[in-house]
Amino acid sequence: MRLEDEHPTLFRQLHPTRNAGIDPGSVTNSSNEMVWWLCPAGHEWRETPLQRRSDMMWKQSDIYACLYCVAPGCTVHSCGHRRFQSGKDSIFRVLAHPCDKCELTEHARLVLDAHADAAPAAIGVLESSALYALFCSRGSEVVEWWDKIFPLVEAYFVRMLCVYVAIDTVQFRLRRKWTEPVVLGACMRRIVKELPRNTHQEMYSVVPADAGHFRQHYMPEIQPSEIVRALTRVGFDVLDTALGIDIENRVQFFEQQHFSGNGVLPPTTFEGRHYPTFDHISFDREKGAASRLQQFRPMEFVQRTTAVRLTLGDSAPADADDPLGRDYIGYAPDLTPEQLWERARGMWKLRADYAAASSIALVVVERRVVMVASISGVTFHRGALAIAGNPMPDHPLMGRPDPLHTPNPLAHGTFDQGQVP
């Protein structure tokens, strides 16, 4: 509905001369367009009709209230956003520049415009990067389907590098404010998560120790929260999505890493491209890259272990109809590893997916590991399950404190084996 019809008193307060190019009769009462107002006392300020007719607290229930008259402790920016600051000496101010949030949003739009043309510069960074060559070389050696995903992997590197190149262009006049180990290393860490688990240790050996890390609202070293939030506001999605273990999902992940503001791939094609081969060096790719990386320090690979913990009590007779045919259950110090495992592996009210996701079972007595066993499957009996596996009497966790220190007799979790005391 038109402002003139719904709120004639407000309509008469539209500024008669400063709203050039706007037809006052067409202004609606829910419009978000900034217009100038003139109150009966002669005060001028800028505000949208929707803001003007709202019942904000500072208006004290008078929607026709003037900011100058009622809210002297107010600062109004040219973008129309306001900030209130009470105090006896506070004055009303109208500033010619937009607020910080709007300035940053406009800055993000400039970054996004530069982002569309940043792919050649990003590719140039990769072409000359020994870090990137080393990472791709190792990937081709240890990942069975690396050739299938390599163009997509490179597209992901370029997508993220384009953000940094664009920020350099807009904010720092092409002076690089980031380092390759931090940014390329962050991309490497994200990609390794999508590779088969049995390749992780090899792949982490070529990720730099000072690699950054991408989080939901974090880009290493470049105004982490402000720039990312502003880019998100103007429509550029810099977030990654966690995936499952299906290879097709992993390929789909890389395909979805669009690196343009509107989600449309730029004309740059990565098909048929290959990572730098260091042809001018007489060594193979990996040695050639390593010769450029004399001070290279690899990221330490933290080997995480997923386990279920089974807590045993003292030895006691089993039920007469025990599903596993056992005579006794519980712990006794004179048992062989096979006898102890047979007593410990069932029967438990344990979720089957916890057992399936674990690589080992820990048998704990008085908060100390007395048995470690592999897990090969589960069997179900009367609403409970028994774990199938084999004892591992020489496992390094034998005799160590329980790494899944929870009060419950059953537990499932992941821990760093090297940090168990």
Side-chain angles (χ1 to χ4, degrees), residues 16-318:
T17 60
R18 301 196 66 173
N19 288 313
I22 296 177
D23 177 14
S26 64
V27 175
T28 63
N29 58 19
S30 59
S31 172
N32 283 303
E33 184 178 4
M34 286 291 174
V35 294
W36 284 94
W37 303 88
L38 178 66
C39 84
H43 299 138
E44 301 176 352
W45 74 99
R46 218 171 162 225
E47 197 171 22
T48 70
L50 183 62
Q51 292 171 328
R52 187 75 178 92
R53 69 180 185 85
S54 64
D55 188 16
M56 297 185 180
M57 186 176 296
W58 64 265
K59 293 184 177 181
Q60 301 174 19
S61 301
D62 179 11
I63 67 168
Y64 306 129
C66 163
L67 272 169
Y68 275 81
C69 300
V70 179
C74 180
T75 298
V76 181
H77 296 270
S78 62
C79 57
H81 292 123
R82 300 169 300 226
R83 181 171 60 88
F84 293 93
Q85 185 174 359
S86 59
K88 64 177 183 179
D89 297 325
S90 59
I91 60 174
F92 187 96
R93 295 186 300 165
V94 176
L95 303 180
H97 57 77
C99 67
D100 293 342
K101 182 177 180 180
C102 290
E103 280 188 336
L104 198 58
T105 300
E106 183 59 31
H107 181 81
R109 289 195 180 96
L110 296 176
V111 170
L112 205 56
D113 291 341
H115 185 271
D117 301 321
I123 292 174
V125 172
L126 298 181
E127 287 283 5
S128 60
S129 172
L131 286 171
Y132 180 67
L134 186 62
F135 180 77
C136 293
S137 175
R138 186 61 53 82
S140 67
E141 294 170 0
V142 304
V143 181
E144 183 179 356
W145 32 271
W146 182 263
D147 289 343
K148 180 178 180 180
I149 67 167
F150 172 70
L152 307 171
V153 169
E154 182 159 82
Y156 179 70
F157 271 95
V158 172
R159 171 186 182 258
M160 299 313 304
L161 276 175
C162 281
V163 178
Y164 289 89
V165 171
I167 291 173
D168 288 344
T169 302
V170 172
Q171 192 165 339
F172 305 116
R173 299 186 179 180
L174 297 180
R175 289 183 295 108
R176 185 183 294 181
K177 301 293 288 185
W178 48 274
T179 62
E180 284 186 19
V182 170
V183 176
L184 294 186
C187 294
M188 293 174 190
R189 292 178 64 173
R190 183 61 184 89
I191 287 171
V192 169
K193 291 180 181 179
E194 303 303 325
L195 302 180
R197 185 176 294 275
N198 61 359
T199 69
H200 286 188
Q201 187 164 1
E202 284 285 333
M203 294 304 296
Y204 272 112
S205 70
V206 291
V207 177
D210 48 349
H213 183 64
F214 289 109
R215 297 190 180 94
Q216 280 196 334
H217 299 292
Y218 176 71
M219 293 163 53
E221 288 193 347
I222 301 293
Q223 293 188 2
S225 58
E226 294 87 352
I227 285 291
V228 176
R229 282 199 291 264
L231 284 171
T232 303
R233 281 199 296 271
V234 297
F236 181 70
D237 182 13
V238 295
L239 306 185
D240 289 333
T241 304
L243 300 175
I245 60 174
D246 188 350
I247 179 176
E248 294 302 325
N249 284 342
R250 291 171 179 157
V251 173
Q252 184 181 27
F253 157 75
F254 292 117
E255 289 175 338
Q256 291 173 344
Q257 300 309 301
H258 302 312
F259 40 94
S260 61
N262 56 7
V264 178
L265 295 179
T268 305
T269 176
F270 300 97
E271 293 296 335
R273 269 185 46 76
H274 301 283
Y275 51 90
T277 59
F278 293 91
D279 291 333
H280 57 288
I281 300 177
S282 58
F283 305 109
D284 61 36
R285 283 191 300 262
E286 185 173 346
K287 290 182 179 178
S291 69
R292 297 280 190 94
L293 296 166
Q294 296 178 5
Q295 306 300 321
F296 177 77
R297 291 185 302 109
M299 176 171 287
E300 182 179 351
F301 175 67
V302 178
Q303 189 162 1
R304 306 286 292 177
T305 301
T306 303
V308 289
R309 192 270 316 283
L310 315 171
T311 303
L312 292 187
D314 294 334
S315 179

Side-chain angles (χ1 to χ4, degrees), residues 375-391:
I375 296 178
S376 58
V378 297
T379 57
F380 298 92
H381 311 268
R382 302 173 189 169
L385 63 79
I387 299 175
N390 296 296

